Amino acid sequence: MNRNNYSKILIVLSIVFQNCYFHVRNNEPYQYIFAVGFRINEESETVLPLDILAICLPVIFFIFYFSGWYTDYVEGYGRLLIIRNYSRTRMILNQCCRMAVHLILFQLIITAVYHWHQQGFTPFSGSLLQIETGYFITIYVLLLFQFFLETWMPVQIASLITNLYLISSVILQEQTVSGWVKLVFIPGNFIGTHNYALIPAVLKTDIENSALPGYPALMLFEIAVGVLLIIFAIAVCRKKDIL
């Protein structure tokens, strides 16, 4: 069994673990808690470390699954394509599209698990499409960040930095009111104790006496970051002496 098959099994197990953990947590979690967000412990009003681990676990395994997608393909099999004058830009774009398709399939699996196992969860009456979109785009940009890092550093270091960035984002979203921090550590806006899509108005955090942008603007910001990461990855790949 190759590494990808092991990774797929670990992803499914992490999804089941997350569902079971929040099911027995007895804190009336929302049905699609992976995207909606978990509730803070009411007694201590703090985020429990195990809650952070549980909410991040599937994403951590997503990062593990997609690690090496630049190095193994572009600098591995991709060398044969480059010899045949295959466009490096096309190679990068093909990999990014494949990443998106695989991530969509994983998200369908995690949604199906929570849809199937509803007992013990508070029914979610909001826009499932809206929170799922925010969740997907956030994770996809996170994976593009890892993809870009791999263009100029070892795979293991890129994965470590990406995981640290993810966990730091979730923690800092509850530890700070700084608008700039919330923009820089953007995954925490859609993964953790809440999903930004559920907030009816803008978050009242100051960025030079102004609030964070609304949900559509934040989505556009994430998409713009994702596009820039792809452009940077293409630029680095085209300058690299892969052969």
Side-chain angles (χ1 to χ4, degrees):
M1 187 179 292
N2 59 35
R3 196 197 73 166
N4 275 350
N5 289 332
Y6 278 120
S7 300
K8 291 173 184 176
I9 293 173
L10 289 174
I11 287 173
V12 173
L13 291 177
S14 68
I15 292 170
V16 174
F17 170 81
Q18 184 191 71
N19 181 277
C20 293
Y21 171 79
F22 285 111
H23 178 260
V24 300
R25 181 85 158 70
N26 295 324
N27 198 24
E28 298 183 350
Y30 288 112
Q31 181 180 352
Y32 300 101
I33 194 170
F34 70 95
V36 175
F38 62 87
R39 297 175 180 175
I40 298 176
N41 185 283
E42 294 181 358
E43 295 180 0
S44 60
E45 295 185 352
T46 58
V47 179
L48 301 179
L50 198 54
D51 288 344
I52 294 176
L53 175 62
I55 204 71
C56 290
L57 195 59
V59 186
I60 291 173
F61 283 113
F62 289 158
I63 293 171
F64 175 71
Y65 176 80
F66 288 103
S67 66
W69 274 49
Y70 170 83
T71 306
D72 296 344
Y73 178 74
V74 178
E75 297 187 5
Y77 174 71
R79 295 185 180 184
L80 299 176
L81 298 177
I82 293 173
I83 292 174
R84 299 173 184 175
N85 294 322
Y86 195 83
S87 169
R88 298 191 186 195
T89 300
R90 188 174 176 183
M91 281 196 303
I92 296 293
L93 293 177
N94 283 345
Q95 279 297 81
C96 291
C97 289
R98 288 183 63 231
M99 286 171 60
V101 172
H102 281 238
L103 182 58
I104 288 172
L105 293 176
F106 287 136
Q107 190 158 337
L108 288 175
I109 292 173
I110 191 171
T111 302
V113 168
Y114 276 89
H115 180 75
W116 171 70
H117 190 205
Q118 301 182 24
Q119 185 178 4
F121 290 88
T122 302
F124 177 68
S125 58
S127 173
L128 182 60
L129 177 62
Q130 196 168 2
I131 63 165
E132 291 265 17
T133 301
Y135 186 77
F136 169 79
I137 293 177
T138 299
I139 295 179
Y140 186 56
V141 172
L142 187 66
L143 296 174
L144 289 176
F145 174 65
Q146 176 181 239
F147 188 81
F148 166 68
L149 290 179
E150 288 183 10
T151 62
W152 56 282
M153 67 174 59
V155 173
Q156 296 82 358
I157 302 300
S159 296
L160 178 62
I161 291 175
T162 307
N163 277 303
L164 289 176
Y165 175 62
L166 166 67
I167 296 173
S168 298
S169 297
V170 175
I171 295 173
L172 288 174
Q173 287 299 328
E174 298 306 322
Q175 300 296 325
T176 181
V177 296
S178 170
W180 286 113
V181 171
K182 289 180 179 294
L183 280 177
V184 173
F185 293 90
I186 203 168
N189 287 310
F190 296 93
I191 304 169
T193 59
H194 66 270
N195 187 310
Y196 193 88
L198 298 175
I199 301 176
V202 295
L203 289 175
K204 301 303 181 183
T205 52
D206 293 334
I207 307 178
E208 295 181 357
N209 298 324
S210 64
L212 278 172
Y215 172 77
L218 200 56
M219 284 290 90
L220 290 175
F221 174 74
E222 284 205 63
I223 292 171
V225 170
V227 171
L228 286 175
L229 288 171
I230 294 174
I231 292 173
F232 292 155
I234 292 173
V236 174
C237 180
R238 293 180 66 176
K239 291 182 179 180
K240 232 177 180 184
D241 184 12
I242 295 177
L243 299 179

